[in-house]
Amino acid sequence: MSIPGGVRQEIPFLDLGAVNSAHRTGLENAFKRVLEGGWYIMGRELAAFEEEFAAYCGARHAIGVGNGLDALHLILRAYGIGAGDEVIVPANTYIATWLAVSYAGATPVPVEPDAATCNLDPALIEAAVTPRTKAIMAVHLYGQPADMDRINEVAARHGLKVIEDAAQAHGARYKGRRAGSLGDAAGFSFYPGKNLGALGDGGAVTTDDGALAEQIRVLRNYGSKVKYYNDVKGFNSRLDELQAALLREKLTTLDGDNRHRAEMASLYLSRLQESGVVLPVVPDWAEPVWHLFVVRSKRRDELQQHLSRCGVGTVIHYPIPPHLQPAYAELELGEGCFPRTESIHREVLSLPMGPTLTTDDVGYVCDAINNFYSESR
């Protein structure tokens, strides 16, 4: 397959060095502030970030925790969901969604995605509800919000909690409202590659429920409200002062970065219309933040190899669905149990996306994809 223009370029999947270099002065000032302040856990930077992030999401409370998995796990723990309980999860998601349920002692019950959006299909949820079901965990996959009104309607009929896995959806909107304010509680990840990424691990819970927020604050800190006095068996899962300070700096440009991602996504969508790949579908009510730009191809592996030869970095999110992972062998959900999910995982390919991607970069990637299909016809 030929290289566009005959000249090979190097376009990384995501250039985190360049992303963070744009914040260099602010990040250095934040580091200096924390270093000289002499207080590194549960201090003023965390309190300020929690207030700012809650306001950003349109929620009353934000609680910083160690990572996104902990955020989801602690929500379930705080609700008292555990052994003998079931939580409905997407079959099509990263395994962390399922792991949070398992860590709480409950059982994940997978439901197939909508074939067009790849998000949890609300029409299939009700059939998965049993007397043991306590919650629905809806993932905003790739940065596009799930259909939350329909999910909330099912939950309301059965008295279930709705938990957003918003790990990929910082700033995404559903009918004008931001992710993190669309259910009973939400878990966010600040893994470095996220739209709002720390320089290490980090996470947060957002909620309007004051009692839940207080319980999570206790659980994240050894089960303690007052130092050395432990009310419950808690955990050590705290967003540290340095990461909170760095996130405060990056939060100031998140909306601008997301707008840039949307512009790059629009270019992909327009230039790949006739390419041969299946493009993302965005409902009218969704404003995705394009954490990932994911296409589908029955020739996915060949296409990925071709793009690699052209110098284009790609990633498969995700090659093996949770129900086929050895970690969940005890559920005895073999191949063929979730055909939509399995088809998605065989075909998906994530193209370069990020706030430093340029229009020329997108043009080169699109030309490489179009060449692949035109020369193989």
Side-chain angles (χ1 to χ4, degrees):
M1 301 292 173
S2 63
I3 293 171
V7 179
R8 187 178 191 273
Q9 295 184 27
E10 293 294 335
I11 301 175
F13 173 71
L14 175 64
D15 188 346
L16 279 179
V19 170
N20 289 318
S21 288
H23 295 271
R24 188 179 195 88
T25 299
L27 294 176
E28 288 176 347
N29 288 339
F31 176 81
K32 183 178 179 182
R33 198 165 65 237
V34 174
L35 179 66
E36 294 178 353
W39 192 281
Y40 307 119
I41 299 288
M42 303 280 283
R44 288 180 294 182
E45 294 292 342
L46 175 60
F49 173 71
E50 289 176 335
E51 182 178 345
E52 292 159 6
F53 191 63
Y56 178 83
C57 293
R60 291 196 182 105
H61 307 278
I63 307 97
V65 297
N67 54 67
L69 173 54
D70 283 359
L72 297 172
H73 170 219
L74 292 178
I75 292 169
L76 293 168
R77 289 274 184 174
Y79 276 134
I81 295 172
D85 296 330
E86 295 176 349
V87 177
I88 291 173
V89 296
N92 179 43
T93 185
Y94 183 54
I95 199 170
T97 312
W98 289 39
L99 289 174
V101 178
S102 298
Y103 288 171
T107 300
V109 176
V111 168
E112 285 269 58
D114 174 83
T117 67
C118 297
N119 271 328
L120 184 63
D121 188 340
L124 302 179
I125 294 174
E126 202 136 23
V129 175
T130 76
R132 295 181 296 279
T133 308
K134 294 295 186 290
I136 303 168
M137 193 171 282
V139 179
H140 304 314
L141 196 64
Y142 311 147
Q144 176 162 296
D147 192 349
M148 294 303 295
D149 281 355
R150 293 176 65 196
I151 292 170
N152 283 322
E153 286 168 7
V154 176
R157 283 198 295 274
H158 296 275
L160 308 178
K161 297 296 184 184
V162 176
I163 301 164
E164 301 171 70
D165 180 340
Q168 301 181 356
H170 314 73
R173 292 181 186 271
Y174 173 81
K175 298 183 179 180
R177 296 173 58 201
R178 288 197 198 270
S181 66
L182 305 171
D184 293 294
F188 286 86
S189 167
F190 302 126
Y191 182 78
K194 304 298 186 184
N195 291 38
L196 180 61
L199 272 65
D201 267 322
V205 173
T206 58
T207 184
D208 285 343
D209 185 337
L212 179 74
E214 182 59 26
Q215 183 69 1
I216 291 172
R217 290 188 185 100
V218 170
L219 286 171
R220 73 174 174 183
N221 191 38
Y222 298 104
S224 175
K225 294 180 183 177
V226 178
K227 194 169 185 178
Y228 303 131
Y229 291 84
N230 304 86
D231 300 317
V232 296
K233 297 180 183 70
F235 304 86
N236 176 9
S237 181
R238 302 170 300 202
L239 182 64
D240 66 65
E241 284 290 279
L242 179 57
Q243 298 302 340
L246 300 175
L247 287 165
R248 291 183 69 196
E249 160 64 22
K250 296 182 76 175
L251 182 60
T252 63
T253 64
L254 178 57
D255 282 343
D257 290 346
N258 285 343
R259 283 192 294 271
H260 182 83
R261 287 173 178 266
E263 290 168 4
M264 297 302 101
S266 180
L267 285 175
Y268 274 134
L269 290 169
S270 63
R271 297 200 52 176
L272 293 176
Q273 282 291 332
E274 308 298 328
S275 66
V277 297
V278 177
L279 295 172
V281 173
V282 181
D284 291 341
W285 40 255
E287 294 179 49
V289 291
W290 300 103
H291 171 60
L292 300 173
F293 189 92
V294 180
V295 298
R296 293 177 62 180
S297 172
K298 294 188 183 300
R299 301 175 59 196
R300 187 266 309 282
D301 294 343
E302 294 175 69
L303 175 59
Q304 185 177 42
Q305 291 165 11
H306 168 68
L307 290 173
S308 180
R309 288 192 293 270
C310 292
V312 176
T314 59
V315 177
I316 297 172
H317 295 91
Y318 304 95
I320 304 173
H323 73 278
L324 296 181
Q325 297 281 2
Y328 280 99
E330 78 276 6
L331 296 182
E332 298 182 344
L333 298 171
E335 193 161 350
C337 287
F338 299 98
R340 283 189 195 172
T341 293
E342 292 164 24
S343 174
I344 288 169
H345 285 246
R346 284 193 299 268
E347 297 177 1
V348 288
L349 186 65
S350 299
L351 304 182
M353 175 54 72
T356 62
L357 196 68
T358 69
T359 56
D360 287 344
D361 292 338
V362 173
Y364 180 82
V365 175
C366 292
D367 287 344
I369 293 172
N370 288 324
N371 286 355
F372 172 81
Y373 282 97
S374 65
E375 293 180 14
S376 59
R377 287 193 181 110

